[in-house]
């Protein structure tokens, strides 16, 4: 929590993120920190770790994959892939 992490971003991802920043819509009354957040929820405020967890649960149920998969599991899978 509250720990800054550095993630490598390739050219195609950087281009996609730049395009996303042009169209995302922060809420008018969002806190300053929410206005600069990369990913927002449907209300235009910062996406929380819990909401990401709920989305993963939803898609795991839909696909029939292992329900014990968590955002942390995905992070470790990504790190292993980078190695």
């Amino acid at each position: 929590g509250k720990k800054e992490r550095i993630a490598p971003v390739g050219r195609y991802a950087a281009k996609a993120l730049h395009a996303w920043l042009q169209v995302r819509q922060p809420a008018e009354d969002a806190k300053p920190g929410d206005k600069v957040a990369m990913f927002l929820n449907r209300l235009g405020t910062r996406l929380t770790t819990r909401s990401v967890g709920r989305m993963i649960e939803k898609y795991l149920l839909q696909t029939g994959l292992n329900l014990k998969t968590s955002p942390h599991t995905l992070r470790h899978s990504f790190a292993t892939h980078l190695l």
Side-chain angles (χ1 to χ4, degrees):
K2 308 279 186 212
K3 190 179 205 181
E4 184 175 325
R5 292 177 177 84
I6 298 173
V9 177
R11 188 174 7 160
Y12 296 111
K15 191 183 248 185
L17 288 171
H18 179 72
W20 166 245
L21 288 172
Q22 303 305 310
V23 298
R24 73 175 175 72
Q25 298 288 321
E28 291 292 325
D29 60 344
K31 297 174 191 169
D34 289 352
K35 290 184 185 243
V36 297
M38 179 66 69
F39 300 108
L40 307 173
N41 63 23
R42 63 184 173 80
L43 301 174
T45 58
R46 183 178 295 271
L47 193 64
T48 65
T49 54
R50 182 63 196 129
S51 59
V52 171
R54 281 193 296 268
M55 284 189 271
I56 290 174
E57 285 176 25
K58 172 184 161 184
Y59 293 118
L60 290 172
L61 282 168
Q62 289 178 1
T63 59
L65 294 173
N66 186 345
L67 295 177
K68 291 185 179 180
T69 303
S70 68
H72 193 70
T73 305
L74 296 176
R75 183 172 157 231
H76 278 282
S77 296
F78 178 73
T80 301
H81 174 72
L82 287 179
L83 289 175

